[in-house]
Amino acid sequence: QVQLVESGGGLVQAGGSLRLSCAASGRTFSRYTMGWFRQAPGKEREFVAAISRNIIWTADRTYHADSVKGRFTISRDNDKNTVYLQMNSLKPEDTAAYYCAAALGVISDYRISAAYEYWGQGTQVTVSL
């Protein structure tokens, strides 16, 4: 069982930056593939970014949606049981509730929300003009 708590959301002007954090409970955090999704009002939840579980002697693999590539960066700190989403050059269309998700082990398609077993409560990001 993993509990996820997001933080770091808020109101920012277009072009600004925010860093979201997701703190996970438990001792096996490094075994989880971690993802960030977002959902805007009236829209379906969409994939933002994912990072692979820790594999010894292997660098973490990261994946980003085309809409955020080059602006957002996912990372993890296994010692702190935390995954981050650094968001730069924010646009109004990035406005959404952002959710952290966890899946044990390797998953076949990191872009599909159904592949993740655990979810946080979400944190709101609002980007103004």
Side-chain angles (χ1 to χ4, degrees):
Q1 189 80 11
V2 174
Q3 292 185 328
L4 305 173
V5 179
E6 301 100 332
S7 61
L11 174 64
V12 64
Q13 287 189 327
S17 298
L18 284 173
R19 188 177 79 156
L20 304 183
S21 299
C22 173
S25 63
R27 300 181 179 182
T28 60
F29 175 74
S30 63
R31 299 181 186 178
Y32 286 81
T33 295
M34 302 298 296
W36 285 98
F37 289 75
R38 67 186 181 186
Q39 188 167 18
K43 294 187 177 182
E44 293 187 353
R45 188 168 296 189
E46 65 173 355
F47 168 75
V48 175
I51 187 165
S52 62
R53 69 182 181 97
N54 179 253
I55 301 174
I56 194 169
W57 307 123
T58 303
D60 292 334
R61 289 169 292 170
T62 61
Y63 312 90
H64 298 83
D66 288 342
S67 59
V68 306
K69 204 168 289 184
R71 299 188 298 123
F72 292 9
T73 303
I74 189 172
S75 62
R76 67 190 301 161
D77 185 335
N78 292 323
D79 291 334
K80 295 183 178 179
N81 279 16
T82 301
V83 63
Y84 304 98
L85 185 68
Q86 178 66 43
M87 305 186 296
N88 299 327
S89 302
L90 282 160
K91 304 175 181 180
E93 51 264 44
D94 294 319
T95 295
Y98 282 71
Y99 298 89
C100 173
L104 184 62
V106 177
I107 56 178
S108 58
D109 192 338
Y110 50 86
R111 299 166 296 178
I112 299 177
S113 60
Y116 295 83
E117 302 159 83
Y118 304 102
W119 291 83
Q121 82 290 349
T123 186
Q124 179 67 35
V125 172
T126 303
V127 184
S128 64
L129 288 170

